[in-house]
Each structure stands twice: as structure tokens, then as C-alpha cells.
């Protein structure tokens, strides 16, 4: 079943039926003011932190689902009938109520019609602003005059802290009151505390109306809704007038009513504004909207900003669903995970109040090809969250104070963050991320940039930071000379034991050494080159001796010596990540590559992607296999863990298997499920954390939308792997790995300010291999395009 479609031209996903199998969301705003909105206007907003800056409520995982939200109710003063500008919360019969939701880049727009009244509602946070705008347009499509009341509505939190607001009711219900001042509801929290003492944001909020006069208001949720009622039938709406009540204790809200009369064909407009500002600042904000056309300018600015970023790479291949993801939705999701980390969604309530080290270092990779300057800033930040022993801080607080942080070796860090010790993989993610950045930007000097550590103000070069990361792993090897599992590796659920050993990390380390060697060579660090060569050799030996089993790599060795992921085992006998990473890291030789990739295909692949391991743990598990707690075929226990799909696509592409790489891409591509949305349930335009795999009664159902490392790994597999875009310090090479059936494709890429118009011709119908490159009509001897050969605008033709 299908609930909408991709509008490529406008970079929108258009939901044509509002009764989607789950709330389908979009992100508005920036980390300074963030807003999540569903296709029925459900969702919440916060200032700076989903956990500590929450200004509107949202009841997670509740029924009625997806409530509350940013509601506009309408009521006909003659017929006394009422409905809402989005299908929910009133939920009129869909035979008569028509609604389309356009999720765009940082805005969401609804077009609804009911009983000859047309409603157009646009929600956004203006660029670089910290409040939100609801622009509402209502048109009378009837032949007669219509007397309509419109009511904007929002449910405030009582306390900016999400948990306090939800559970500490004996306190938080008694710190708030609302006031009505000049077309707006103002909410005060802890009003009697000295203003200078309040410290945090969000203790004064406002909800205002511009463009029409307020005829009545309500600042008290419970009198607005009425006893034993719900958002589908609030008493104020049923009565047709807000009761002019105000909140004093209990539950605050903002409800503003305006009564309008519409001649046939007439349109009236208004803007609701919401933010965490006091009355004076709110007045200034509201003044800026006196001329409602400001909103058009702002939307244009937003689109220019986002489309500008996305347009740095646009592709046109024979596969529309691939194009949609690379051109818009996967890229946009990469920016959202990059910006929001795992802070806030309809699943994450905001309590993870910081950046997971590995998560963010990986997230960065998803946007490097589109916004290297944004990536640079975050890479610097993450390097400044590396401890001087070379390890990464498992959780980097949003308040990170580089040079002055405690580490997992300090009790205070552990109690504050809940992270008891280092992970084996965290800092190793820096290598591909730093390399990708340098190659995209050409900024090789970055390697010499001086950056502090998390726990000391000592500044060392980025090169030295990377060396320390190697040292961290080398100082923590297990009995077989492989990197120790420590608290966990990438797989949070796999506890091999402190001295257990991880094949995945061994490959990461191998890859890291290979990357670092390139910089050691550049810097002529002879001694270190010698060290790297020796370590690569040692590591190769240990991996081949201890981890290779005929046609697959094992997952690791527990601290008691037992193998995890051995062919001989009844459960979890084959694992995905060691196979994909054997190839990505450049470790596997040709024979191993073929064998282990075939094993993945044979044993792990399903219609919806590749399982993380198989068979799932059930009866033959061990204490450290925490995933056993999950139902089989779910999450890390044999589910299709979506992030890992990017790695297997990339591995296949590196190995030259374009057909299989693309097949894997299609299996996990959300857009492929657009017409089977009832099975996938989640948004068909974003990746989730995982998909239930073949033994689940709900095979194909996806979970944990939006904030997932999947966005970046799949993006990287598309850009580096399938499209084969390989920038380097002094130029760029393009080596696609595509399905044989493709005749070719085109791409437009902005490369360090130069425009590349690339045409790939695959008349020979092969998967990989470029035989000729024309740059602006000139036949290049070498496939590598030197940066100095580029003009402002370039025509590049590649013959495969
Ligand atoms: C979650 C975590 C991530 C971890 C992954 C696998 O996505 O955010 O850090 O690597 O699960 O366990």
C-alpha cells in the first residue's frame, strides 16, 4: 500500500493519505531550536536540548498516538461543525476530509480541505532563528459566506526538563502560570526566582497570533480540553469559544481563537509564533511578522540553504529510488543525524544528552561530500574529545569543555554519563573520517593542525592524535595479539570481555594503519612508517591464523578463548561485519574477498537486507551476548541492522560486484518500500536503526526512525562505492561500480568550488572498470583528474 510519493523536483516527500501506519516525521530548525513534526502535526519543540530544553509536550509511545502537536482547529459558527487543519487530532472521515502533507527540507506544509474550506498550513523555524512559525491560510471555496473560527493550540511543558515534566508532578505542576498579553499567551515558570538566577533558557514561553485579532484565548490545558475529553473533541472547540481561562498550577497551554468571515473565494492569512522568550522579546518577534509576506522570504532562504547543500551532488541514474535518496532524502537525513546525533525523535526522548563518540565520528562521513566545512568543525570537536591516552570519550557531553573533561578512568565521568569504560572502536573511526575530509577538501595541512585533548590542554597535531589512537589499541591487545574487546566494540551488545578480542576492531585497526601510513609517508616519518609496516604484518598474521575459517571470518575471541561466530556453532555462526570489514579495510585478499562475500550472500541475505548474524542467539548463548535479550531476528540479535547494510554495499562495490552492491542497496532502500508501506511502517524516505528479519512474524518492519548511523554508512556506500567518487588531495578519480544493465548515468558535483558535469557511459555493460576519460574534450592518459586541470565548469565523460 502506498501513502505518498517523492516529489524530486521540489525535494519533498508528499503524503497523500494521512492515516499512515506510523507517524511519519520531519525535522525543523537547528540545534539551537529544534522541532519535530509528523504528517499530522504531532511532535514537539525544544531549545538546545531535547531533554533539558523541552518546551512543548509529546507523549511518547502513547495512545492516542502522535499527540499532542501543533494544532489548528477550525469551526463553522453556523453549522457548529469542527475539524482540524491537519487530519488529526479531530480525525474527520477521510471520505470527506482531504489532506496532503509535504515534508520538505526543514519545513512541512499541509494542504487540506473539508466542507469547502481549504487550509494551507506551513510550519518552519526560520534560518538561524530560535522560534517557530506556523503560517496559516484559509480559503472559502464555497458559494456562500462562511463564518469560521480558527484556534491555534499548543501544550506547554511545565518544566524544561522532559523527565521532570513527565514524572515529578508533585513539583512541576506548581511552578507555572500563563498570562494573556496582546495577542499572545505568555507562560512563566518559576517566576519568583531572581531572573538572573534562572540560568537556563525556556523559563518564559510565548504563543502569539499575528495577522488576525484574537477573539478569545485559553492558557489552561484542562479547561480547554474539558474533563474526560481528548484532543479530538476539546470542550472549547465544541462550544465554539475559548473560555478565557488562564493556568495557575497544573497544565499550561496556549490556545488563541480568531473569528473570521470569508466571502466566497476569499482567503485569509495569519501566523502563529511560538518560542521560549519573554513578553518583550516576543513582541519584537511578532512585530517582524506584521507583513505576512516575510514568511515567503524566510521559506525561500530555508530552501536556498538546504537545496544549496544538497545540490553539491546531484545524480541521474536509471533508478529513480536511488536518485531520490542520494539527491535528497538520504543526504538530508545525514545532515539531521549529523546535527542532532541521537538526541531527539519520536523514539529518542532526548535523554541521551551528548554525542556518542563513534556515532558522531561516523555521522560526519555522511555529509563530507556535501559540506566539508561543516564536517571540519565537527572533526575538530571530536578530536578535542579524544583522551590523551588515545581513546575516545564514549559520550561527549553537549557541554563538552575540551581540555578539562574527566574520562572513563574517573568515577565522576562514569556516574555523570553512565559509561563505565572505554570502547575498543571509538577513536578508530577517526581515520576514515579524517581521510575523507582531507580528500574532499584538499586541506592536507589539517594533518598539522594543533588540537587539544579532552582531558588536557596540551595541543598536538591531528597526525599525533591519530598516532595516539593507534597506541591506544596497541596497548590493549589480547592473548592472540588482536585488539581487545574492552567494554564493547561497534556492537554495543557484544561483550567479549575486557581481554576478549574483536575481529571487527582488528580490521578497523588494520585500516587505520593503512590510512595513517599515507600521512607518515607525506611527513617523511620514516621511523613510524617502519613501525606501521611491522604492525600490519603482525596483525595480518594474527588475523589469518585466528580469525579465518575456510570461507568466513569469525566475529571474535572471548576472554576465555572461545570463538564467537564460528561455523561450527549452532547459533550466531556467521556474522556480517567481519566479512564486510575484511574487504573495506583492504585486508582480505582476492580469494578471501570472494569467499566471505559469497558466504554473506548465501547465509545472511534476505529480501529486506542482510542479517547482522545468523542464526540468532537463543539457547546457545553466553553472558556477554546481551543481544540474546532481544527477540530473535530483531536488532543486534539476527535483525537487519541497517547501519551494517552500508558496509556490505561498500564492500561489494570495492570488490567490483556492481550487481550485488546495487541489489543490497535496493533491499534496504526505504524508497523501495514506498508501495509496501504497511509492511515497513516507518517513513519510506528515511532509514531506521533496524528491520525485522526473516524469522520474525513482522518481517520487513522497520524501527527507530531518523537518528541512526545508517544514514551515513549507506550514503558513503552510494557515493564512494556505487558512484565511485574518489577525491584525493590533488584531484579526483571516478570509478563507478554499477549494475551491468545500466547504460550509464550522469552526475553534477561541486568539487572545491569547481563544477563537474559527469557523464558515465556503460555501452559495454560491465559492473566496474573505466577505460577512457574525457575532460573537457581531452582524452586523459590517466584516469586521475588533477585539480589543476579543472576549469570553473567541466564536462567529464567516462567510458566503462
Ligand atoms: C546503536 C548505537 C551505536 C552502536 C549500534 C550497534 O546504533 O547508537 O553506537 O554502534 O547500536 O550496537
Amino acid at each position: 500500500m502506498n501513502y505518498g510519493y517523492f516529489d524530486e523536483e521540489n525535494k519533498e516527500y508528499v503524503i497523500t493519505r494521512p492515516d499512515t501506519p506510523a507517524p511519519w516525521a520531519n525535522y525543523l530548525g537547528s540545534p539551537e531550536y529544534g522541532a519535530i513534526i509528523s504528517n499530522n502535526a504531532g511532535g514537539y519543540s525544544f531549545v538546545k536540548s531535547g531533554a533539558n530544553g523541552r518546551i512543548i509536550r509529546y507523549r511518547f509511545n502513547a495512545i492516542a498516538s502522535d499527540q499532542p502537536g501543533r494544532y489548528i482547529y477550525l469551526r463553522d459558527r453556523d453549522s457548529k461543525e469542527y475539524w482540524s487543519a491537519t487530519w488529526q487530532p479531530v480525525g474527520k472521515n477521510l471520505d470527506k476530509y482531504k489532506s496532503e502533507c509535504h515534508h520538505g527540507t526543514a519545513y512541512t506544509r499541509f494542504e487540506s480541505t473539508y466542507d469547502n474550506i481549504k487550509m494551507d498550513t506551513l510550519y518552519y523555524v526560520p534560518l538561524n532563528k530560535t522560534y517557530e512559525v506556523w503560517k496559516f491560510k484559509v480559503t472559502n471555496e464555497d458559494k456562500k459566506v462562511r463564518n469560521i473560527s480558527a484556534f491555534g493550540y499548543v501544550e506547554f511543558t511545565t518544566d524544561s526538563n522532559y523527565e521532570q515534566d513527565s514524572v515529578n508532578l508533585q513539583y512541576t505542576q506548581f511552578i507555572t502560570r500563563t498570562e494573556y498579553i496582546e495577542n499572545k499567551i505568555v507562560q512563566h515558570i518559576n517566576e519568583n526566582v531572581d531572573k538572573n538566577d534562572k540560568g537556563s533558557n525556556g523559563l518564559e514561553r510565548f504563543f502569539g497570533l499575528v495577522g488576525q485579532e484574537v477573539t478569545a484565548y485559553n492558557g489552561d490545558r484542562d479547561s480547554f480540553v474539558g474533563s474526560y475529553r481528548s484532543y479530538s473533541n476539546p470542550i472549547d472547540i465544541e462550544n465554539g469559544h475559548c473560555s478565557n481561562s488562564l493556568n495557575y498550577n497544573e497544565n499550561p497551554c496556549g490556545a488563541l481563537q480568531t473569528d473570521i468571515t470569508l466571502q466566497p473565494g476569499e482567503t485569509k492569512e495569519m501566523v502563529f509564533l511560538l518560542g521560549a522568550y519573554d513578553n518583550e522579546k516576543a513582541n519584537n518577534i511578532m512585530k517582524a511578522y506584521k507583513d505576512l509576506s516575510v514568511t515567503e522570504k524566510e521559506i525561500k532562504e530555508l530552501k536556498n540553504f538546504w537545496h544549496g547543500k544538497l545540490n553539491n551532488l546531484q545524480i541521474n541514474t536509471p533508478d529513480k529510488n536511488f536518485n531520490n535518496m542520494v539527491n535528497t532524502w538520504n543526504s538530508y537525513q545525514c545532515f539531521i543525524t549529523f546535527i542532532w546525533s541521537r538526541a531527539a525523535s519520536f523514539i529518542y526522548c532526548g535523554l541521551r544528552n551528548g554525542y556518542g563518540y563513534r556515532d558522531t565520528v561516523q555521522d560526519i562521513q555522511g555529509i563530507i561530500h556535501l559540506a566539508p566545512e561543516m564536517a571540519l568543525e565537527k572533526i575538530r570537536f571530536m578530536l578535542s574529545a579524544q583522551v590523551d591516552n588515545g581513546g575516545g570519550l564514549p559520550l561527549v557531553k553537549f557541554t563538552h569543555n575540551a581540555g578539562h573533561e574527566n574520562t572513563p578512568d574517573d568515577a565522576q565521568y562514569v556516574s555523570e554519563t553512565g559509561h563505565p569504560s572505554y570502547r575498543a572502536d571509538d577513536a578508530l573511526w577517526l581515520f576514515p573520517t579524517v581521510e575523507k575530509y582531507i580528500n574532499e577538501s584538499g586541506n592536507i595541512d589539517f594533518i598539522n593542525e594543533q588540537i587539544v585533548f579532552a582531558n588536557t590542554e596540551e595541543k598536538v597535531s591531528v597526525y599525533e592524535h591519530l598516532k595516539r589512537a593507534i597506541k591506544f589499541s596497541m596497548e590493549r591487545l589480547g592473548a592472540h595479539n588482536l585488539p581487545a574487546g574492552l567494554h564493547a566494540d561497534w556492537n554495543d551488545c557484544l561483550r567479549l570481555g575486557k581481554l576478549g578480542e574483536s575481529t571487527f576492531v582488528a580490521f578497523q585497526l588494520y585500516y587505520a594503519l593503512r590510512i595513517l601510513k599515507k600521512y607518515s609517508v607525506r611527513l617523511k616519518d620514516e621511523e613510524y612508517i617502519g613501525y606501521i609496516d611491522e604492525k600490519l604484518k603482525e596483525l595480518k598474521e594474527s588475523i589469518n591464523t585466528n580469525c579465518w575459517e575456510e570461507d568466513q571470518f569469525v566475529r571474535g575471541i572471548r576472554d576465555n578463548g572461545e570463538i564467537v561466530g564460528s561455523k561450527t556453532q549452532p547459533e550466531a555462526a556467521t556474522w556480517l561485519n567481519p566479512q564486510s570489514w575484511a574487504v573495506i579495510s583492504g585486508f582480505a585478499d582476492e580469494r578471501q574477498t570472494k569467499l566471505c562475500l559469497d558466504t554473506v550472500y548465501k547465509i545472511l541475505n534476505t529480501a529486506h537486507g542482510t542479517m547482522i548474524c545468523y542464526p540468532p542467539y537463543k539457547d546457545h548463548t553466553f553472558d556477554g551476548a546481551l543481544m540474546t535479550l532481544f527477540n530473535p531476528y530483531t536488532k543486534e540479535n539476527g535483525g537487519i541492522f541497517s547501519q551494517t547494510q552500508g558496509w556490505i554495499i561498500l564492500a561489494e562495490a570495492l570488490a567490483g560486484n556492481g550487481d550485488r552492491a546495487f541489489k543490497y542497496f535496493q533491499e534496504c532502500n526505504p524508497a523501495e518500500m514506498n508501495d509496501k508501506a504497511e509492511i515497513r511502517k516507518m517513513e519510506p524516505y528515511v532509514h531506521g536503526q533496524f528491520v525485522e528479519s526473516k524469522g520474525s512474524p513482522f518481517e520487513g518492519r522497520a524501527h527507530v526512525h531518523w537518528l541512526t548511523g545508517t544514514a551515513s554508512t549507506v550514503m558513503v556506500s552510494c557515493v564512494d562505492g556505487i558512484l565511485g567518487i574518489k577525491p584525493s588531495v590533488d584531484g579526483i578519480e571516478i570509478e563507478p561500480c554499477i549494475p551491468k544493465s545500466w547504460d550509464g548515468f550522469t552526475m553534477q558535483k561541486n568539487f572545491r568550488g569547481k563544477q563537474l558535469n559527469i557523464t558515465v557511459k556503460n555501452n559495454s555493460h560491465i559492473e566496474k572498470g573505466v577505460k577512457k576519460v574525457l575532460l573537457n574534450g581531452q582524452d586523459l592518459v590517466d584516469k586521475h583528474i588533477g585539480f589543476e586541470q579543472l576549469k570553473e565548469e567541466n564536462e567529464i565523460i567516462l567510458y566503462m
Side-chain angles (χ1 to χ4, degrees):
M1 207 182 291
N2 141 349
Y3 294 78
Y5 64 93
F6 290 87
D7 175 350
E8 238 210 297
E9 171 119 2
N10 291 306
K11 297 192 179 301
E12 288 179 347
Y13 185 83
V14 183
I15 299 166
T16 47
R17 280 183 60 168
D19 57 340
T20 48
W24 287 358
N26 195 15
Y27 281 74
L28 317 176
S30 76
E32 293 301 302
Y33 187 99
I36 304 174
I37 185 162
S38 76
N39 57 315
N40 276 302
Y44 59 96
S45 305
F46 51 99
V47 179
K48 288 196 166 89
S49 153
N52 297 319
R54 185 70 65 83
I55 65 175
I56 7 185
R57 281 188 177 150
Y58 188 73
R59 281 177 276 283
F60 290 82
N61 199 26
I63 41 175
S65 74
D66 193 28
Q67 290 193 357
R70 302 170 180 85
Y71 295 145
I72 297 174
Y73 292 93
L74 289 107
R75 184 175 178 278
D76 185 313
R77 292 197 296 279
D78 301 310
S79 71
K80 302 189 172 42
E81 217 197 330
Y82 61 89
W83 62 94
S84 38
T86 45
W87 179 51
Q88 294 294 324
V90 176
K92 283 292 188 188
N93 191 322
L94 286 174
D95 292 343
K96 291 196 190 133
Y97 188 96
K98 295 292 164 224
S99 176
E100 252 188 26
C101 165
H102 295 238
H103 281 319
T105 47
Y107 65 89
T108 287
R109 192 165 62 80
F110 295 88
E111 279 172 29
S112 311
T113 30
Y114 184 73
D115 190 18
N116 292 324
I117 297 294
K118 183 164 180 281
M119 298 148 277
D120 191 315
T121 323
L122 171 66
Y123 296 92
Y124 66 95
V125 176
L127 203 60
N128 303 320
K129 295 281 165 40
T130 46
Y131 56 82
E132 65 189 73
V133 180
W134 313 356
K135 164 88 181 284
F136 183 58
K137 232 160 87 171
V138 50
T139 305
N140 177 6
E141 292 186 327
D142 212 334
K143 291 194 187 71
K144 58 177 191 235
V145 175
R146 297 288 294 268
N147 296 305
I148 300 287
S149 303
F151 307 74
Y153 178 84
V154 63
E155 180 175 335
F156 289 121
T157 55
T158 50
D159 190 301
S160 305
N161 181 284
Y162 156 70
E163 238 178 344
Q164 288 291 308
D165 177 60
S166 324
V167 301
N168 194 6
L169 302 182
Q170 61 81 28
Y171 165 76
T172 51
Q173 299 250 309
F174 311 104
I175 59 177
T176 172
R177 94 182 163 94
T178 51
E179 230 185 317
Y180 177 75
I181 320 172
E182 298 168 89
N183 267 13
K184 70 179 109 47
I185 294 282
V186 175
Q187 183 201 11
H188 311 280
I189 299 171
N190 288 140
E191 200 177 357
N192 302 329
V193 176
D194 175 0
K195 273 222 159 49
N196 302 322
D197 245 22
K198 286 185 182 173
S200 73
N201 256 303
L203 295 173
E204 302 268 324
R205 288 89 172 256
F206 79 99
F207 180 61
L209 174 64
V210 184
Q212 300 295 334
E213 275 314 305
V214 172
T215 24
Y217 57 83
N218 198 334
D220 179 69
R221 182 194 74 176
D222 302 295
S223 68
F224 176 82
V225 176
S227 306
Y228 300 102
R229 285 170 172 266
S230 74
Y231 280 130
S232 69
N233 62 349
I235 189 75
D236 273 13
I237 304 296
E238 198 167 291
N239 289 342
H241 57 86
C242 280
S243 61
N244 290 349
S245 316
L246 288 168
N247 131 272
Y248 184 90
N249 299 331
E250 297 193 338
N251 296 295
C253 75
L256 298 171
Q257 172 179 357
T258 179
D259 290 349
I260 51 180
T261 297
L262 294 165
Q263 300 302 318
E266 192 186 2
T267 297
K268 282 197 170 151
E269 299 190 338
M270 64 197 80
V271 163
F272 292 97
L273 293 155
L274 167 68
Y277 287 108
D278 63 20
N279 183 47
E280 200 186 310
K281 297 213 180 76
N283 275 334
N284 289 334
I285 293 170
M286 286 168 68
K287 255 187 231 145
Y289 289 82
K290 248 182 125 163
D291 176 356
L292 296 181
S293 69
V294 174
T295 54
E296 276 144 48
K297 216 183 94 222
E298 287 180 334
I299 275 291
K300 223 168 149 196
E301 260 172 21
L302 263 185
K303 283 192 192 169
N304 286 346
F305 175 83
W306 283 106
H307 294 191
K309 298 258 179 276
L310 303 183
N311 285 340
N312 285 331
L313 177 68
Q314 290 291 295
I315 65 168
N316 187 4
T317 75
D319 190 288
K320 259 189 157 333
N321 289 336
F322 182 54
N323 302 346
N324 282 328
M325 293 312 277
V326 172
N327 292 342
T328 305
W329 285 99
N330 192 176
S331 304
Y332 182 58
Q333 188 182 2
C334 282
F335 278 106
I336 297 302
T337 48
F338 172 85
I339 291 167
W340 291 115
S341 187
R342 306 296 175 269
S345 68
F346 286 163
I347 304 294
Y348 290 112
C349 324
L351 288 173
R352 199 203 277 198
N353 218 355
Y355 300 99
Y357 201 90
R358 73 161 85 91
D359 292 353
T360 293
V361 178
Q362 292 171 83
D363 291 345
I364 295 169
Q365 292 186 15
I367 62 138
I368 289 177
H369 65 294
L370 299 173
E373 66 301 332
M374 279 171 87
L376 173 61
E377 219 179 291
K378 218 30 152 308
I379 294 173
R380 284 185 178 127
F381 175 77
M382 294 312 287
L383 284 163
S384 83
Q386 186 188 14
V387 179
D388 63 349
N389 67 8
L393 286 178
L395 189 88
V396 186
K397 292 176 242 163
F398 287 142
T399 56
H400 179 66
N401 184 7
H404 306 277
E405 288 291 343
N406 289 322
T407 75
D409 297 323
D410 303 306
Q412 203 196 334
Y413 179 86
V414 177
S415 71
E416 231 179 289
T417 64
H419 288 269
S421 59
Y422 292 100
R423 278 109 203 275
D425 64 320
D426 277 333
L428 291 176
W429 292 104
L430 289 168
F431 293 81
T433 303
V434 167
E435 187 189 34
K436 241 179 241 308
Y437 162 71
I438 290 178
N439 286 346
E440 181 67 39
S441 64
N443 178 12
I444 183 67
D445 289 344
F446 180 56
I447 208 72
N448 297 316
E449 189 171 315
Q450 305 283 309
I451 293 176
V452 292
F453 285 105
N455 59 331
T456 130
E457 279 186 273
E458 179 200 4
K459 279 191 175 174
V460 302
S461 67
V462 170
Y463 180 62
E464 176 62 25
H465 272 271
L466 296 179
K467 277 173 134 182
R468 296 268 178 111
I470 299 286
K471 188 160 171 269
F472 179 88
S473 295
M474 288 302 176
E475 285 175 354
R476 291 162 180 81
L477 298 180
H480 305 82
N481 226 11
L482 296 167
L486 306 188
H487 186 65
D489 64 10
W490 169 86
N491 191 326
D492 275 330
C493 302
L494 185 60
R495 305 287 157 90
L496 296 162
K498 202 166 172 211
L499 285 177
E501 290 154 286
S502 158
T503 318
F504 189 171
V505 182
F507 288 135
Q508 284 190 280
L509 181 58
Y510 190 85
Y511 192 30
L513 286 165
R514 288 185 56 226
I515 292 171
L516 192 54
K517 186 171 167 184
K518 297 181 205 165
Y519 300 122
S520 304
V521 169
R522 251 181 205 275
L523 297 170
K524 302 200 174 61
D525 188 350
E526 299 301 337
E527 200 182 315
Y528 200 71
I529 298 171
Y531 171 82
I532 291 182
D533 286 340
E534 189 189 313
K535 291 297 156 194
L536 282 172
K537 207 167 140 245
E538 282 173 22
L539 205 51
K540 185 150 212 152
E541 260 172 44
S542 330
I543 296 175
N544 275 331
T545 313
N546 301 295
C547 310
W548 175 246
E549 261 188 356
E550 208 177 310
D551 60 358
Q552 69 170 41
F553 290 93
V554 304
R555 184 61 176 81
I557 309 170
R558 290 172 58 205
D559 50 4
N560 64 3
E562 254 171 51
I563 301 282
V564 175
S566 164
K567 289 170 75 79
T568 56
Q569 291 162 342
E571 287 175 1
T574 301
W575 290 69
L576 173 60
N577 292 334
Q579 324 312 327
S580 54
W581 271 83
V583 178
I584 293 171
S585 64
F587 178 89
D589 59 27
E590 219 174 293
R591 189 177 147 267
Q592 288 173 322
T593 299
K594 170 141 191 10
L595 288 169
C596 74
L597 291 181
D598 283 351
T599 297
V600 169
Y601 188 64
K602 270 188 286 193
I603 297 181
L604 301 177
N605 190 235
T606 76
H608 299 283
T610 304
M611 294 178 283
I612 192 171
C613 62
Y614 184 80
Y617 280 116
K618 196 156 176 279
D619 302 317
H620 302 272
T621 182
F622 61 97
D623 281 351
L626 304 186
M627 63 285 276
T628 313
L629 299 174
F630 298 128
N631 288 325
Y633 307 98
T634 301
K635 282 178 78 99
E636 282 96 335
N637 195 19
I640 297 159
F641 211 85
S642 303
Q643 197 186 353
T644 65
Q645 308 303 299
W647 297 326
I648 193 65
I649 298 166
L650 181 61
E652 289 286 1
L654 292 172
N657 306 324
D659 279 328
R660 215 189 260 168
F662 203 72
K663 177 178 165 52
Y664 284 154
F665 170 77
Q666 286 185 307
E667 282 171 3
C668 74
N669 185 5
E672 285 291 326
M673 294 296 282
N674 193 56
D675 296 342
K676 293 181 209 148
E678 77 284 5
I679 295 173
R680 188 171 195 265
K681 284 204 160 181
M682 236 182 64
E683 295 93 332
Y685 47 92
V686 291
H687 288 283
Q689 186 197 65
F690 78 99
V691 175
E692 291 174 60
S693 73
K694 64 180 188 185
S696 159
F698 298 97
E699 180 181 1
R701 183 168 61 178
H703 298 269
V704 193
H705 66 170
W706 280 96
L707 304 181
T708 158
T710 315
S712 71
T713 57
V714 174
M715 192 76 222
V716 168
S717 75
C718 293
V719 175
D720 298 19
I722 296 170
L723 300 169
I725 304 178
K726 297 194 175 108
S728 59
V729 175
D730 45 12
I732 190 163
E733 202 177 311
I734 294 145
E735 203 186 6
C737 183
I738 55 175
K740 288 196 258 328
S741 60
W742 285 11
D743 293 329
F745 63 97
T746 61
M747 319 190 249
Q748 281 82 46
K749 173 168 169 63
N750 175 349
F751 182 51
R752 302 179 201 161
K754 312 270 185 201
Q755 185 61 29
L756 313 184
N757 302 325
I758 303 159
T759 305
V760 177
K761 296 190 188 256
N762 188 23
N763 299 340
S764 332
H765 289 280
I766 57 172
E767 292 167 282
K768 196 173 190 172
V770 171
K771 55 175 189 231
K772 184 164 137 174
V773 181
L774 291 186
L775 169 64
N776 299 320
Q778 250 206 326
D779 196 342
L780 298 187
V781 220
D782 191 354
K783 283 177 270 176
H784 180 265
I785 302 168
F787 187 69
E788 74 295 335
Q789 293 173 280
L790 293 174
K791 301 194 222 159
E792 287 314 297
E793 184 151 355
N794 303 274
E795 299 304 320
I796 299 172
I797 307 178
L798 265 103
Y799 295 88
M800 293 181 61

